[in-house]
Amino acid sequence: MASLDPPPPSAPAPATGADPLAGLRLALAEAAAELHGAPATVELRLDRPKRPEFGDFSSNAPLLLAAGLDEQPRAVAERLGEALGRRLGPDLDRHEVAGPGFVNLFLSDRFWRSALSAVAEAGRNFGSGVAGTDAERMLVEFVSANPTGPLTVAAARHAAYGDSLCRILAFAGHAVEREYYVNDAGGQIRRFGESLAARARGQAPPEDGYHGAYVGELAARIAGAAKLDPDELAARGIELMLETVRATLERFRVHFDRFFSERSLHSGGAIERALELLSDGEHVYASEGATWLRTSVLGDDKDRVLRRSSGELTYFAADVAYHADKLSRGPDRVIDVLGADHHGHVARMQAAWQALGGAPDGLELLIMQLVNLTEGGRRVAMSKREGEFVTLDELIDDIGLDAARWFLLQRSHDTTLDLDLALAREQTQENPVYYVQYAHARIAAILRRAGEERLGAAARAELAAGGAPLHASERALVRSLLEFPAEIVTSAVRRAPHRLTAYALELAQGFSAFYRDCRVVGAEEEGGDEAFRIALSRSVQATLARCLDLLGVEAPESM
RNA sequence: GCCCCCGUAGCUCAGUGGAUAGAGCACGCGCCUCCUAAGCGCGGUGUCGCAGGUUCGACUCCUGCCGGGGGCGCCA
């Protein structure tokens, strides 16, 4: 059952002006307070039942209030229903007490008309700013794939997820910065340079180097490569590789505000400064010739090395300095989207963050599970060093940009994703993404058919004033629309873009049912309300377009 | 051994305490004198991995177990 609850106090609250359900929620809260004699402390739910006989909306409030009132739940439901009836007046058709103590609400056309009117008025902004006064300054790091090769499908999932998450957070009202951490230092960069050097001289890369064909192509693009040493080659190679990576990301509709270089932390002395900062707090100690960070007292299972006995700084030391930098920029929240292979990193980074003086919940480390690519049931292997992988560019060329984004976003980030290329490719006729796009395009066609004059009349019409009785499909479609703000809240708070794919599909299905049952242009001929139906179609179109935009998928005017 | 994720329909998966657990795909049948048939309607399957516990109520929360995937470097 879909929940339409106001979020808990810690979460962003819907901006009441933007949410047509606010009046309903307020009535429920007031009615409950009336019974209780004081505002209810329990969380009152306003649910949208799947079964029509359980009403348009339903609340379990009586079950929750019964204990405090020392009364039977059904008796409480009876009184709550009456109190609600007095408050909602003509917006409520009737209420019923059902089951163990639910109160089910059946709303009148008047309610649906004024609700749609509010949605139509919000227009393109419907559902925005739901974070309200809980809006935060957020710094989100994602992808951060090593610049030693092209972006793979694993990176593609990170890119789609991180980008959509940022779009949703921003739409909800947060100030979001997007950042890509470039691992352009350390042992793998040395091996990358050596591999380039070998290819430039026409030799095979070292055993532990990079063997992909792109390494040779890269070497060929560097002027005088054969005469350069591995360090210079690595630097030039990374530069070129990053250009490619950026171009691929932009093609995938993923934009970063900043690419942050690990190397700059070394050369700029930021790591040394971070280590000093931590030494002052007595978090750092020397042992066995190495320098350690005492992460074990902050939740990690062992302490971690910052500087090796060889004198070299570890990757972890650089990451600590990077997070010190993030912290110093003063965001309310830092989010790192990490691969499943980095989960061992979580505890030590959290510990380091707190050692640096960060608030425990100021750093959020999200772990992204793997993508398995299959091709007609056969697993496609992915390894950069072996050079055997499917790149993001190849994926886009293969199944299409919109399908790629949709498929990668369809599942929760913390579950392994199986993507069958053969299926994604062949499915194009029945693909959910095209279904949603089709609904959008179909509405565009209807609105074109309606023409300027009718659209203008609909925009000026007083929808709430009443008119022809509404069809069940019209009411159901308005109800789906009304769920959108809560859906944005949930997607944002739970960092769950995949919810919007499900919502978009549901809204598109609701429109198809409406389209089947109700003629829009010329509605009066069948006893319908043309202005209402045009406004409804426009609102659904705008909301579908918004969903698709948040998912990074195109919303076509025709197909 | 320890840690993380997962186990729901034939397949891929939604569903973080509410009523008879859903979608897409796949399969079958039917539907274009009507705003896009990339569409619509009808047809069915579930020991929600197993066992306990908490609760008026558990797919959902807790404990243990079983199964699958991933991770546990002075690599990055």
Side-chain angles (χ1 to χ4, degrees):
Chain A
M1 184 173 293
S3 170
L4 295 166
D5 306 324
S10 59
T16 45
D19 188 352
L21 283 178
L24 210 51
R25 290 211 187 88
L26 184 64
L28 178 63
E30 285 178 351
E34 182 182 316
L35 300 199
H36 228 228
T41 51
V42 289
E43 184 199 358
L44 302 178
R45 301 175 57 94
L46 189 61
D47 285 315
R48 195 186 63 156
K50 286 198 223 32
R51 304 171 59 81
E53 59 268 36
F54 292 159
D56 299 312
F57 295 95
S58 140
S59 179
N60 65 346
L63 286 160
L64 299 173
L65 296 170
L69 291 169
D70 198 25
E71 268 182 77
Q72 290 302 312
R74 288 187 64 104
V76 177
E78 205 59 65
R79 290 169 56 211
L80 186 70
E82 281 158 22
L84 270 170
R86 284 195 297 277
R87 286 191 159 67
L88 293 172
D91 279 350
L92 188 67
D93 246 4
R94 63 196 165 88
H95 73 271
E96 282 177 5
V97 173
F102 295 99
V103 58
N104 298 335
L105 305 178
F106 297 82
L107 296 157
S108 67
D109 280 2
R110 195 186 113 119
F111 171 84
W112 299 114
R113 286 175 172 281
S114 58
L116 177 67
S117 181
V119 174
E121 195 174 335
R124 290 285 292 163
N125 291 323
F126 179 52
S128 72
V130 289
T133 54
D134 291 322
E136 296 180 333
R137 282 188 54 211
M138 295 178 159
L139 184 53
V140 183
E141 179 206 332
F142 60 106
V143 185
S144 301
N146 291 333
T148 52
L151 293 175
T152 64
V153 167
R157 188 179 190 191
H158 283 247
Y161 173 80
D163 176 67
S164 272
L165 178 60
C166 288
R167 289 176 190 236
I168 291 166
L169 292 171
F171 183 64
H174 301 288
V176 183
E177 263 192 272
R178 308 139 157 260
E179 199 153 300
Y180 186 123
Y181 184 50
V182 183
N183 299 130
D184 52 0
Q188 62 174 359
I189 300 305
R190 183 177 43 75
R191 286 192 292 277
F192 184 52
E194 285 162 359
S195 304
L196 283 168
R199 286 296 187 199
R201 283 184 252 107
Q203 298 163 355
E207 185 71 14
D208 63 351
Y210 292 83
H211 293 257
Y214 69 91
V215 178
E217 291 160 18
L218 213 50
R221 287 170 58 198
I222 300 171
K227 280 174 279 182
L228 296 174
D229 68 38
D231 280 354
E232 290 170 275
L233 276 172
R236 289 287 297 129
I238 286 167
E239 205 176 305
L240 290 173
M241 207 63 248
L242 267 180
E243 276 175 29
T244 309
V245 164
R246 276 183 215 240
T248 302
L249 287 169
E250 292 291 337
R251 179 188 181 204
F252 202 44
R253 305 185 182 127
V254 178
H255 181 75
F256 283 92
D257 298 310
R258 186 169 189 174
F259 285 75
F260 196 107
S261 157
E262 178 186 358
R263 176 180 296 215
S264 74
L265 291 167
H266 289 269
S267 59
I271 301 180
E272 300 298 339
R273 285 196 297 279
L275 262 52
E276 277 174 41
L277 186 70
L278 289 166
S279 301
D280 291 346
E282 296 181 345
H283 293 287
V284 172
Y285 65 95
S287 174
E288 303 167 53
T291 305
W292 300 71
L293 182 63
R294 212 185 305 273
T295 55
S296 61
V297 299
L298 290 165
D300 199 3
D301 52 7
K302 55 181 274 196
D303 293 342
R304 304 291 166 175
V305 172
L306 294 165
R307 191 193 305 278
R308 296 175 197 133
S309 46
S310 67
E312 272 183 299
L313 292 160
T314 61
Y315 168 83
F316 180 53
D319 214 9
V320 169
Y322 178 35
H323 282 78
D325 186 275
K326 289 183 180 180
L327 185 59
S328 74
R329 287 184 249 163
D332 299 311
R333 192 177 300 274
V334 168
I335 297 178
D336 293 355
V337 182
L338 305 175
D341 55 342
H342 278 64
H343 114 261
H345 203 62
V346 170
R348 75 192 66 163
M349 202 58 243
Q350 274 291 357
W353 175 261
Q354 289 173 48
L356 288 164
D361 61 352
L363 175 66
E364 236 176 77
L365 297 147
L366 303 179
I367 298 298
M368 177 86 81
Q369 293 300 320
L370 304 179
V371 184
N372 292 324
L373 271 192
T374 57
E375 176 73 70
R378 190 177 69 85
R379 175 87 171 267
V380 179
M382 277 179 292
S383 159
K384 259 190 219 186
R385 289 207 189 146
E386 302 305 318
E388 192 189 315
F389 50 78
V390 175
T391 66
L392 174 48
D393 280 310
E394 286 164 353
L395 181 72
I396 297 170
D397 293 341
D398 192 344
I399 67 176
L401 179 40
D402 288 330
R405 288 227 28 158
W406 183 281
F407 268 80
L408 291 169
L409 287 170
Q410 216 173 358
R411 308 303 178 204
S412 168
H413 70 92
D414 59 10
T415 192
T416 308
L417 174 69
D418 281 332
L419 205 173
D420 190 327
L421 292 174
L423 198 63
R425 199 182 302 121
E426 288 166 14
Q427 245 180 11
T428 52
Q429 302 296 315
E430 304 295 333
N431 205 315
V433 65
Y434 300 121
Y435 179 91
V436 173
Q437 288 185 321
Y438 181 77
H440 181 272
R442 189 183 237 176
I443 296 171
I446 293 171
L447 297 179
R448 279 194 298 273
R449 162 75 62 123
E452 288 302 321
E453 200 174 319
R454 285 189 173 91
L455 295 186
R460 287 188 301 275
E462 194 56 64
L463 297 177
L470 300 180
H471 192 282
S473 296
E474 293 178 282
R475 289 193 290 267
L477 190 50
V478 175
R479 194 173 69 153
S480 286
L481 272 179
L482 296 182
E483 200 180 356
F484 183 61
E487 207 54 54
I488 293 295
V489 170
T490 309
S491 310
V493 170
R494 305 227 295 247
R495 321 294 191 224
H498 76 277
R499 290 191 137 261
L500 286 189
T501 63
Y503 175 77
L505 203 53
E506 185 199 305
L507 187 59
Q509 282 168 335
F511 183 79
S512 290
F514 162 73
Y515 175 82
R516 177 195 64 220
D517 296 333
C518 304
R519 166 159 283 276
V520 176
V521 180
E524 263 72 20
E525 291 167 30
E526 57 172 45
D529 182 338
E530 186 182 81
F532 181 87
R533 289 180 182 177
I534 287 176
L536 180 55
S537 299
R538 290 187 96 161
S539 291
V540 170
Q541 188 193 32
T543 305
L544 284 177
R546 177 61 72 189
C547 286
L548 291 171
D549 174 63
L550 295 175
L551 296 167
V553 174
E554 197 180 353
E557 291 292 310
S558 66
M559 285 177 78

